[in-house]
Amino acid sequence: MSSYFRITLMRSAIGLPSKSAKVLKALGLRKRMSTVFHPVSPAVAGQIMRVKELIAVSEVDKPLSKTEVKMERKPDAGFFVERKAQSA
């Protein structure tokens, strides 16, 4: 079974050399807190090492869809409804 890198852009590349910005673009990262999945390979590992200060990386078994990543980031409501109130 193949595994994937889950790469999330944590810091912006503003003010950094253009080489760093180009590596982020090659990885498919444009906005902060965006997440992409790439198969584990030496080429991708080399790109990750170039911008390791700007990203967060973890290894996962399968990539998630954009909807699944969004739902994962969504916070809990902070409450739950046990039952409806009785109407008077």
Side-chain angles (χ1 to χ4, degrees):
M1 181 177 223
S2 63
S3 58
Y4 294 84
F5 286 126
R6 177 186 176 141
I7 308 168
T8 304
L9 183 61
M10 302 304 279
R11 300 191 59 187
S12 172
I14 294 174
L16 294 178
S18 63
K19 198 169 196 178
S20 298
K22 289 177 183 177
V23 170
L24 290 175
K25 187 175 181 181
L27 286 171
L29 296 167
R30 291 178 183 82
K31 296 181 179 180
R32 285 185 61 239
M33 302 309 291
S34 62
T35 301
V36 294
F37 293 88
H38 288 285
V40 173
S41 69
V44 175
Q47 290 177 330
I48 289 170
M49 290 304 293
R50 287 277 186 179
V51 290
K52 62 184 177 280
E53 301 86 11
L54 307 176
I55 59 177
V57 181
S58 60
E59 195 170 338
V60 294
D61 292 330
K62 66 180 189 105
L64 301 175
S65 68
K66 286 185 178 186
T67 309
E68 291 171 329
V69 171
K70 186 175 180 180
M71 290 306 294
E72 199 175 72
R73 289 180 39 87
K74 187 175 180 181
D76 292 334
F79 64 90
F80 61 94
V81 178
E82 289 184 10
R83 61 188 166 134
K84 285 189 165 185
Q86 298 293 328
S87 59

